Amino acid sequence: MESRTIISVTDLRKQYGNFEAVKGISFDVKEGEIFGLLGPNGAGKSTTLEIIETLRTKSGGKVVVDGHDLDKSPEAIKKIIGVQLQAAGYYPGLNLTELIELFAGLYNREVKPMDLLAKVNLQDKAKAKYKDLSGGQKQRFSIATTLINHPRIIFLDEPTTGLDPQARRNLWELIADIRKQGTTVIITTHYMDEAEFLCDRVAIIDSGRIIAVDSPAKLIDDLIATGFERKTAVKKANLEDVFIEMTGHELREG
């Protein structure tokens, strides 16, 4: 049975003066899938996400999230989504346990900080301050905060940028596990191998317009059907696979 639509975006537009950043984008996200937004810098990915997240106003179009119309019920949408924060969103003087308790209070939720930290393999860092974490630890904690309000949907904006190979693969596993628990995941990334590994479907955005929506495998097959061939032979592994096999899969926390 086909999954129901949990996010519907229709003719979405965003104008900044004379510049139109988002030019009539339409797409649906199915419940329980990992959906990727791909595109060059400035293509409109982050703007689109921020509108759906209720963080930025739209200039036109319609957005419905789990049955809630963005124009009529933005507060209802906020209650069912989790949004990955960047570093600026955390008080530097608080440790991870205190930060979780702070956010839980904002959501009016009872949360067991150690249980949440265990989900992202950070229970041994409970008393550490956010600023003292490694890059991978910061990203895992950032994802943990999106789960505090038990969201139906989480939004991750380039979650693995700047991470080493072990931390990147570990985060892939974490995102896949979150989806297995029934949460819908919307992700932006510049790493095509990441999108191919994680995403059930992707939308490719360029210059404010969607130019393709499908599964990574279908988009690749469609390209091959046009007669496209890589200039060099495709091998069964890449250099990142070599690196991880030689240095190990375990995280290096420093």
Side-chain angles (χ1 to χ4, degrees):
M1 187 173 66
E2 187 175 345
S3 298
R4 74 181 185 92
T5 296
I6 195 166
I7 296 176
S8 177
V9 176
T10 307
D11 196 27
L12 182 64
R13 298 178 181 274
K14 179 61 181 178
Q15 193 98 14
Y16 297 100
N18 294 325
F19 174 67
E20 193 172 22
V22 178
K23 303 172 182 176
I25 282 177
S26 298
F27 64 90
D28 291 336
V29 178
K30 302 299 183 183
E31 186 174 27
E33 76 174 334
I34 299 178
F35 187 88
L37 287 177
L38 313 179
N41 287 331
K45 305 183 304 297
S46 293
T47 298
T48 299
L49 277 193
E50 289 169 359
I51 291 170
I52 300 170
E53 295 163 354
T54 76
L55 299 177
R56 190 179 296 273
T57 59
K58 59 184 175 64
S59 302
K62 185 172 183 177
V63 176
V64 178
V65 180
D66 198 28
H68 302 292
D69 189 314
L70 177 64
D71 292 329
K72 299 175 182 177
S73 308
E75 294 303 317
I77 293 175
K78 290 176 183 177
K79 291 178 181 178
I80 60 169
I81 65 172
V83 179
Q84 173 197 13
L85 292 176
Q86 301 302 324
Y90 302 107
Y91 292 101
L94 300 182
N95 64 38
L96 301 195
T97 297
E98 292 167 336
L99 285 170
I100 288 173
E101 290 171 343
L102 172 64
F103 282 106
L106 295 174
Y107 283 116
N108 196 26
R109 289 271 190 173
E110 285 193 15
V111 174
K112 294 180 179 178
M114 290 304 295
D115 289 350
L116 190 59
L117 291 172
K119 285 185 178 181
V120 295
N121 196 26
L122 285 175
Q123 59 269 42
D124 60 331
K125 296 291 182 179
K127 298 303 180 183
K129 291 183 171 58
Y130 178 84
K131 63 184 178 65
D132 296 326
L133 301 180
S134 69
Q137 290 168 341
K138 287 178 178 177
Q139 292 293 62
R140 298 205 310 274
F141 180 73
S142 183
I143 290 176
T145 63
T146 72
L147 304 175
I148 288 173
N149 64 324
H150 305 291
R152 297 181 58 79
I153 309 159
I154 65 170
F155 295 86
L156 307 176
D157 195 1
E158 299 181 21
T160 66
T161 297
L163 300 187
D164 64 39
Q166 280 95 350
R168 198 163 79 104
R169 294 289 181 98
N170 178 267
L171 215 60
W172 290 5
E173 293 173 5
L174 172 60
I175 293 167
D177 285 343
I178 290 170
R179 189 271 291 276
K180 286 178 184 176
Q181 296 167 20
T183 305
T184 303
V185 181
I186 318 298
I187 185 171
T188 69
T189 180
H190 285 299
Y191 301 126
M192 296 303 104
D193 60 335
E194 182 165 286
E196 191 173 347
F197 180 86
L198 284 174
C199 296
D200 299 292
R201 292 186 304 134
V202 298
I204 300 176
I205 302 177
D206 192 23
S207 300
R209 291 187 172 91
I210 287 183
I211 56 178
V213 181
D214 218 319
S215 69
K218 180 64 164 56
L219 292 172
I220 292 168
D221 288 345
D222 288 348
L223 178 60
I224 293 170
T226 68
F228 174 88
E229 292 183 10
R230 281 192 178 183
K231 294 181 181 179
T232 57
V234 179
K235 298 183 178 180
K236 293 181 179 179
N238 60 29
L239 188 58
E240 184 172 286
D241 295 318
V242 173
F243 180 90
I244 289 177
E245 282 299 309
M246 295 182 73
T247 62
H249 288 73
E250 70 276 4
L251 288 168
R252 308 291 180 86
E253 304 288 22

